[in-house]
Amino acid sequence: SDTKLGGNRLEGRAHRADGILQVMELFFERRQGSFLHHDLAPFTWPHPNRETYLSVLKLYANDKSQVAFGSEVPLRCQQIVERMQHRYQQGDLELIPDTIVWNQVMSAWAACTDKAKALKAANLLQHLKRDDLVDASSYGHVLRACAKSKSKQGAKLALQVWNEFHKQPDLEATSYQYAFFFQACTHLDRRRDQVVEVAFYKCCQDGKVNNHVLLEFRKAASPSLYRKLMGPSRANLSMPALLASLPPEWAQTADRKTSWGW
């Protein structure tokens, strides 16, 4: 069937690793029902553990060759987590799906080409919140899904998720979450400048301004807002020069990356 070895369009390292995982699961299931005690077997029975499942999920979440397959990759990731859940319920307690595991599913939704990925990622976030299975990265993956959806729906969902995120007292936004939020805001119709201005002031206050934040802020802000917040002397500077001219406290805790653009 499609949930076993093949039968779909997926290929590459992640799919091969998933196939190996399924063979390991099959051996493990047979061992459970075997009359031959595993200590007496002539070979070591493969036993997929948490790291085995997490490695396969990470391969799927980071495999850029799979992005053209719509929702197939995130749905496959969800199937893998469901298999973990099934084994956990059977008594393999280390396989309880935790936040790190579910974040791989979130990441796969953000990277896929499904047109409704922002909504699906946001819905999954709400489902996981009820079980206390989200962290700052979870929100970041949903914001990335909203930004990369390049849609009005994605922009509205990003604003909802952003406001919800900032109600959590123990969570702090990263530079890249600010950048993804600004990227999503380019598709806002109403109050765009107002939303972007408030978020940029908060970003400066948090010391999270970096090159990606500035690039996405410049795209999201109207020319008048950009000139207002940057000042006349900075408005026409190149991006590297602009970053170097800003108050150092705006970037004191920013994520660092040497490459420009995405």
Side-chain angles (χ1 to χ4, degrees):
S1 70
D2 281 4
T3 59
K4 290 299 180 182
L5 304 181
N8 59 31
R9 298 182 297 166
L10 299 183
E11 55 187 22
R13 292 177 61 207
H15 185 53
R16 291 194 295 273
D18 190 9
I20 293 170
L21 171 60
Q22 291 176 52
V23 170
M24 293 174 72
E25 289 174 325
L26 182 61
F27 270 102
F28 184 76
E29 291 169 6
R30 295 293 172 85
R31 185 191 79 174
Q32 297 295 90
S34 174
F35 66 90
L36 182 62
H37 193 277
H38 66 274
D39 290 336
L40 304 177
F43 55 87
T44 301
W45 295 93
H47 182 187
N49 57 23
R50 179 183 181 277
E51 292 306 312
T52 315
Y53 284 93
L54 186 58
S55 295
V56 175
L57 287 168
K58 286 181 176 179
L59 281 171
Y60 270 131
N62 296 308
D63 189 351
K64 293 180 173 56
S65 68
Q66 310 284 9
V67 297
F69 294 144
S71 61
E72 286 189 44
V73 171
L75 290 177
R76 175 57 63 91
C77 288
Q78 288 186 200
Q79 289 175 358
I80 292 172
V81 177
E82 288 167 4
R83 282 157 32 201
M84 290 184 72
Q85 181 72 27
H86 176 70
R87 284 191 52 199
Y88 166 72
Q89 292 170 343
Q90 289 185 322
D92 204 338
L93 299 184
E94 76 158 331
L95 292 183
I96 182 171
D98 58 14
T99 303
I100 294 174
V101 166
W102 277 111
N103 278 347
Q104 309 313 308
V105 183
M106 293 281 208
S107 180
W109 275 118
C112 79
T113 55
D114 189 308
K115 292 182 179 179
K117 65 181 182 179
L119 179 61
K120 292 176 180 178
N123 285 340
L124 180 57
L125 179 73
Q126 295 306 315
H127 173 75
L128 295 174
K129 272 189 66 182
R130 291 194 289 269
D131 294 325
D132 196 24
L133 287 172
V134 301
D135 61 8
S137 292
S138 310
Y139 285 92
H141 292 309
V142 179
L143 289 170
R144 180 159 61 101
C146 293
K148 299 304 181 182
S149 72
K150 299 179 181 180
S151 65
K152 292 180 180 179
Q153 182 189 54
K156 291 178 181 178
L157 286 169
L159 184 55
Q160 293 173 14
V161 169
W162 186 252
N163 290 335
E164 180 183 302
F165 175 83
H166 285 284
K167 293 177 182 178
Q168 314 299 318
D170 55 336
L171 299 182
E172 181 180 353
T174 67
S175 299
Y176 297 106
Q177 288 166 343
Y178 275 105
F180 286 131
F181 179 64
F182 287 134
Q183 190 176 24
C185 285
T186 60
H187 299 278
L188 276 177
D189 286 334
R190 300 177 56 197
R191 301 188 301 114
R192 186 168 100 183
D193 265 7
Q194 179 184 346
V195 169
V196 168
E197 182 174 8
V198 169
F200 187 74
Y201 276 130
K202 182 73 168 65
C203 186
C204 296
Q205 181 183 358
D206 291 346
K208 300 296 183 181
V209 177
N210 70 1
N211 50 328
H212 294 307
V213 168
L214 288 173
L215 283 167
E216 299 305 332
F217 164 69
R218 185 168 65 179
K219 295 174 188 175
S222 66
S224 59
L225 177 62
Y226 183 77
R227 188 174 184 84
K228 170 188 171 183
L229 296 187
M230 291 297 102
S233 62
R234 297 193 188 103
N236 297 316
L237 291 177
S238 67
M239 198 55 67
L242 173 62
L243 187 62
S245 73
L246 296 178
E249 58 269 23
W250 286 15
Q252 61 186 353
T253 59
D255 298 299
R256 306 296 179 184
K257 197 170 184 180
T258 55
S259 61
W260 289 87
W262 295 101

